Amino acid sequence: MVNLSGGALQTDGGGLVSGATVTTSAGALFDVNGNETVAALSNAGTTDIAAGTVLSSTDVTNTGAITNAGTLASMNTIANNAGGTLTTTGVVNGGLNNSGTVNASGTLNGAVVNAGVFNVAGVGTVGTATVNGNFAQGVAGTFAVDVDAASNTNDHFVVSGTCLLYTPDAADEYRCRILGGPGIVSGNR
């Protein structure tokens, strides 16, 4: 077990924390620049995956900040809990349950359930997020996209499976433009 309660642990891969459960507390930094396989990752501090892969053989739980420019993978689920922020420009492998904030541009391989805030490419940034799996937006969730009228660009959200956007009131209306794919979109719910 590796407990980071302050300071920083930087690894360039090579199995420095191989097989260990890595737990970061508030104020601690787990800085990854290579490939690491861990038993579990429990993050309440900061985890920065600048390059390489962090693979958890069980779960990844986050109530802190995870920045991923490489690959974050879980053999089970990735839980981005309330108070947690997951920002990814890389690849996320494994089912993602979000009740915190996700800023995603890149690829999410697995089902995504959103009961928090899901920002395509992040706030104020136009980009693309791809979900290879299903996306389900819960009643408590917020789904945000950016539209830049000045440059005539907008976020793109690509889902290979079913995309469910829930609105809590029958009077609420939403419109989705389908550019391709097998999903079904309905409006006026």
Side-chain angles (χ1 to χ4, degrees):
M1 178 175 277
V2 176
N3 287 315
L4 300 172
S5 58
L9 173 63
Q10 182 175 17
T11 174
D12 292 327
L16 179 64
V17 293
S18 182
T21 296
V22 176
T23 303
T24 62
S25 299
L29 170 64
F30 181 40
D31 189 13
V32 181
N33 288 295
N35 297 328
E36 290 291 345
T37 300
V38 299
L41 174 61
S42 179
N43 182 63
T46 301
T47 295
D48 182 18
I49 306 166
T53 299
V54 172
L55 170 63
S56 173
S57 58
T58 57
D59 296 322
V60 173
T61 57
N62 182 44
T63 57
I66 296 177
T67 302
N68 174 44
T71 300
L72 173 63
S74 173
M75 299 301 284
N76 287 334
T77 60
I78 298 168
N80 189 52
N81 295 322
T85 300
L86 170 61
T87 301
T88 183
T89 57
V91 175
V92 174
N93 291 328
L96 172 62
N97 294 323
N98 178 48
S99 58
T101 300
V102 171
N103 300 305
S105 61
T107 303
L108 297 99
N109 294 313
V112 176
V113 177
N114 182 43
V117 177
F118 190 97
N119 296 307
V120 174
V123 176
T125 303
V126 173
T128 300
T130 300
V131 175
N132 290 318
N134 297 331
F135 181 88
Q137 170 73 38
V139 65
T142 299
F143 180 78
V145 294
D146 290 299
V147 176
D148 184 348
S151 66
N152 199 30
T153 60
N154 58 270
D155 285 332
H156 294 271
F157 186 59
V158 180
V159 179
S160 68
T162 301
C163 182
L164 172 64
L165 299 175
Y166 179 83
T167 60
D169 186 330
D172 288 346
E173 181 177 328
Y174 59 90
R175 288 188 268 169
C176 297
R177 182 175 173 201
I178 302 298
L179 300 177
I184 297 172
V185 174
S186 60
N188 288 347
R189 162 82 209 338

